[in-house]
Amino acid sequence: MPGHSVGVVQSQRAHFDQPLHLRSGGVLPAYDLVYETYGTLNAAKSNAILVCHALSGHHHLAGHYADQPDNVGWWDNIIGPGRPLDTDKFFIVGLNNLGGCHGSTGPSSLNPATGKPWGADFPIVAVNDWVHAQARLADLLGIDSWAAVMGGSLGGMQALRWSITFPERVRNAIVIAAAPKLSAQNIAFNDVARQAILTDPDFHGGHYYEHNTRPARGLRLARMLGHITYLSDDQMGEKFGRELRNSAFSFGFDVEFEVESYLRYQGDKFAGYFDANTYLLMTKALDYFDPSREDNGDLKATMARSKANFLIASFSTDWRFTPARSKEIVAALLANGRNVSYAEINLNFGHDSFLMEDAHYHGVVDAYLRNIKL
Amino acid sequence: MTHTLGRPDFEVISSWIEPGHRVLDLGCGDGTLLKHLIDTRGVKGWGVEIEDANVLAAIKNGINVIQGNLENGLDEFADQAVDHVVLSRTLQTVRHTEGILREMLRVGREAVVSFPNFAYWKNLRSVLNGRMPVSEDLPYQWYDSPNVRFFTLLDFEDLCAKMGLIIRERSVLDEEGNPVTNEVNFLGSLAVYRLTKNR
């Protein structure tokens, strides 16, 4: 890996007491956002990059905590001195979105009106609500306009939304493995995941915190299902094939194939730390995402409001948000004569490719970012 | 004679493109032509390129590049999105010849096409001597050539007539990049055409 890690980092917390009016009609009277920054904001405050997280992500993008050397940020391979998101040049900001479960205000936070955790009463948050909350964090940090807003998957959707909601505040948008809106199939997968959680007897209508329990079985199933959609068939075939944990069939329903073992492990691990209400909120934010809705589905008209330069990237084996979905964004930008580059990257890891370290993929991001004038 | 970036057809193409025009360069490679047109003619440009290494090089050059396969058409581009669609030294590598020419004039007001002339006298001489031609404009061995269509100026002009495309300008160059005006199908190594659909 070229370059090196940012090393020891610390997270910070910002409190906002201006109410945030949400797309759903709900209001958050006050909220906290936890965030991390890497690199130094220059005097002109022109070198800031916002990295938005995907469904299960958070503010800890890079480096590790002094007391937790193994807790490495989820996008550490792309951030650091000499890496594509070069902290010698850029000031990188990552945050945990509203509704999250990594420290920002979310369903497990206390509802000031009741003194109890919000639970199911936490209002539904949309991608545009996150963008507005992120803008307040930008205000707090003194950042008028981002050199770039970027992200993969749901993070890429936030970058796209930023360019539409705050065209003057985004000079470049890097949208990776995303789509302009979800397909029926995408929504269907999300709904099966939600049903797994909602029908778990430990869900208690979303108020499971008060029952000192959590719908771990449902969350585990949701994650197992999601995980399948993040990987490619080829990759699963290569990684697991039809390998058995023992050499012979056991003719039962215990873990038998290696792929079952892997998925159950991933599901258990996830259910151990993630919050089911947050999972519900994140999948709904995905389902509702469709900036072209304001223009009767005409994405060209929507993208006419953006002013940023764009890098769009997709992955050949991503069947969750296929290259064709990224090309819908490209076409809408081209129809407006925007500066846009599009790379279709051959990587074998399906939707999760955006998190992988690959010389060509990172080379493309690196080349694009190096041309940004501060 | 020295030529812009070592590519004599680039000078011809540049001279046909008005400052400030929108240009789409198909098979743009590392974006050299577009960069030249942006720097010298102030155009707004995009390229289409299939090879990973070229896409990366074009992004490094600060060029808008869309990764894609010309054989699949130009679906991402709207009708009449640009003034000029350029296809330099690439037509002979495309199987769907008519398809790409139609797409170029759907997306652009004008198409600019350059290609090597297989009837160039040195190429003919080479074949008469029993060898497939290798030259400045056909720099490949038969077994590693990306070229899949072999045609001459006359052949190309017949196709344009058949498709109802209008040849607005033609520039023919010899192997050194000097203009050829007589016996062009015999003395020309590289041809550059400017095409439109309507008069």
Side-chain angles (χ1 to χ4, degrees):
Chain A
M1 188 187 318
H4 41 99
S5 165
V6 293
V8 174
V9 300
Q10 283 180 316
S11 54
Q12 294 169 268
R13 171 177 298 272
H15 180 73
F16 300 86
D17 47 18
Q18 284 278 87
L20 187 68
H21 294 266
L22 305 170
R23 169 109 190 278
S24 59
V27 180
L28 279 176
Y31 54 93
D32 284 7
L33 294 175
V34 290
Y35 65 100
E36 289 182 8
T37 69
Y38 323 102
T40 309
L41 188 61
N42 63 12
K45 303 190 172 182
S46 64
N47 67 335
I49 296 179
L50 174 66
V51 177
C52 303
H53 70 75
L55 197 150
S56 60
H58 44 70
H59 54 286
H60 183 37
L61 309 177
H64 61 271
Y65 302 124
D67 57 346
Q68 298 172 48
D70 295 332
N71 187 353
V72 176
W74 58 268
W75 218 356
D76 187 75
N77 64 23
I78 207 167
I79 298 167
R83 289 185 183 166
L85 276 76
D86 192 336
T87 47
D88 288 339
K89 176 178 180 183
F90 294 111
F91 176 67
I92 318 283
V93 179
L95 81 161
N96 185 214
N97 278 325
L98 283 177
C101 54
H102 290 90
S104 291
T105 299
S108 58
S109 311
L110 291 185
N111 178 351
T114 63
K116 291 188 207 166
W118 281 92
D121 299 332
F122 195 85
I124 296 265
V125 281
V127 169
N128 209 18
D129 299 326
W130 289 336
V131 166
H132 281 280
Q134 290 160 2
R136 290 190 184 173
L137 180 63
D139 295 341
L140 183 82
L141 296 170
I143 297 160
D144 286 336
S145 103
W146 299 99
V149 179
M150 69 182 288
S153 190
L154 179 55
M157 293 169 177
Q158 290 160 63
L160 190 64
R161 187 72 244 191
W162 256 99
S163 77
I164 300 160
T165 302
F166 294 112
E168 309 291 344
R169 301 190 74 173
V170 187
R171 302 202 295 283
N172 294 272
I174 302 179
V175 179
I176 304 171
K181 60 186 171 200
L182 264 61
S183 67
Q185 188 193 48
N186 295 146
I187 294 170
F189 275 116
N190 281 345
D191 193 47
V192 176
R194 283 191 295 268
Q195 287 299 317
I197 294 167
L198 295 168
T199 57
D200 186 317
D202 290 332
F203 184 62
H204 296 289
H207 294 289
Y208 45 86
Y209 316 101
E210 298 162 32
H211 293 80
N212 285 321
T213 182
R214 46 210 310 280
R217 282 166 294 180
L219 185 56
R220 172 177 181 264
L221 277 179
R223 182 59 169 184
M224 286 170 75
L225 177 72
H227 210 90
I228 298 168
T229 71
Y230 304 150
L231 307 179
S232 73
D233 190 21
D234 280 354
Q235 177 200 9
M236 281 182 119
E238 276 168 28
K239 201 165 173 180
F240 309 108
R242 294 179 50 81
E243 290 300 310
L244 298 165
R245 297 189 70 199
N246 304 310
S247 52
F249 288 163
S250 60
F251 298 101
F253 299 113
D254 277 343
V255 172
E256 200 168 4
F257 290 93
E258 285 293 353
V259 66
E260 296 173 321
S261 162
Y262 173 78
L263 279 179
R264 291 179 196 197
Y265 170 75
Q266 292 296 332
D268 285 335
K269 196 172 76 169
F270 188 75
Y273 70 82
F274 207 79
D275 183 67
N277 280 321
T278 291
Y279 202 88
L280 294 175
L281 286 175
M282 296 283 163
T283 58
K284 284 308 271 189
L286 272 164
D287 291 1
Y288 290 133
F289 180 71
D290 177 11
S292 75
R293 198 176 161 85
E294 295 156 23
D295 302 286
N296 300 312
D298 181 358
L299 188 62
K300 178 188 167 186
T302 308
M303 295 320 297
R305 296 202 285 284
S306 73
K307 292 184 175 166
N309 302 321
F310 284 81
L311 173 64
I312 312 286
S314 70
F315 297 95
S316 51
T317 55
D318 184 352
W319 58 278
R320 187 182 172 94
F321 299 140
T322 62
R325 306 306 316 281
S326 282
K327 282 194 204 168
E328 292 172 30
I329 304 169
V330 172
L333 291 166
L334 288 170
N336 284 294
R338 290 289 184 271
N339 286 318
V340 52
S341 282
Y342 167 67
E344 194 167 309
I345 292 154
N346 263 307
L347 261 179
N348 205 18
F349 306 103
H351 186 59
D352 265 356
S353 295
F354 84 88
L355 295 167
M356 301 300 165
E357 189 187 343
D358 172 76
H360 177 63
Y361 164 37
H362 280 191
V364 164
V365 175
D366 185 85
Y368 186 86
L369 286 173
R370 274 186 206 289
N371 278 330
I372 291 182
K373 289 180 185 67
L374 300 181
Chain B
M1 185 170 175
T2 58
H3 295 285
T4 308
L5 315 164
R7 286 280 302 265
D9 54 329
F10 283 5
E11 281 174 34
V12 176
I13 294 169
S14 288
S15 72
W16 290 346
I17 290 173
E18 302 284 321
H21 273 186
R22 291 182 173 196
V23 179
L24 174 61
D25 184 9
L26 304 180
C28 69
D30 65 3
T32 300
L33 173 61
L34 278 172
K35 195 165 169 52
H36 174 67
L37 291 172
I38 291 163
D39 292 345
T40 64
R41 312 290 286 172
V43 305
K44 176 132 194 174
W46 297 264
V48 175
E49 176 56 47
I50 189 168
E51 294 290 339
D52 282 351
N54 284 335
V55 169
L56 177 58
I59 293 173
K60 274 188 183 155
N61 274 328
I63 298 299
N64 292 315
V65 61
I66 309 298
Q67 189 158 24
N69 185 346
L70 299 181
E71 300 281 12
N72 300 338
L74 303 172
D75 286 350
E76 297 95 281
F77 296 89
D79 295 358
Q80 299 296 296
V82 299
D83 299 295
H84 296 271
V85 181
V86 177
L87 187 66
S88 71
R89 302 189 196 222
T90 304
L91 187 63
Q92 75 281 1
T93 69
V94 177
R95 278 184 193 283
H96 299 99
T97 313
E98 287 177 81
I100 193 65
L101 288 172
R102 261 195 298 272
E103 276 290 81
M104 289 174 77
L105 284 166
R106 175 184 68 79
V107 170
R109 192 162 47 76
E110 290 193 8
V112 177
V113 180
S114 73
F115 58 85
N117 173 27
F118 284 79
Y120 177 50
W121 69 273
K122 283 188 186 172
N123 297 343
L124 299 180
R125 184 184 65 184
S126 181
V127 174
L128 281 174
N129 286 333
R131 296 288 179 180
M132 286 301 283
V134 177
S135 70
E136 184 78 16
D137 292 315
L138 287 171
Y140 300 99
Q141 296 294 331
W142 65 274
Y143 52 82
D144 66 4
S145 172
N147 300 333
V148 296
R149 297 280 182 243
F150 305 92
F151 54 100
T152 71
L153 273 68
L154 293 177
D155 292 332
F156 181 72
E157 291 178 14
D158 279 356
L159 178 64
C160 290
K162 179 186 158 244
M163 293 178 66
L165 307 182
I166 293 141
I167 297 169
R168 291 176 58 100
E169 283 193 72
R170 180 185 74 186
S171 179
V172 184
L173 306 169
D174 67 15
E175 241 182 313
E176 279 75 48
N178 300 309
V180 178
T181 47
N182 298 317
E183 298 292 338
V184 290
N185 200 45
F186 187 65
L187 298 177
S189 176
L190 188 76
V192 197
Y193 285 83
R194 184 175 178 185
L195 309 171
T196 57
K197 213 154 44 174
N198 306 304
R199 280 189 198 283

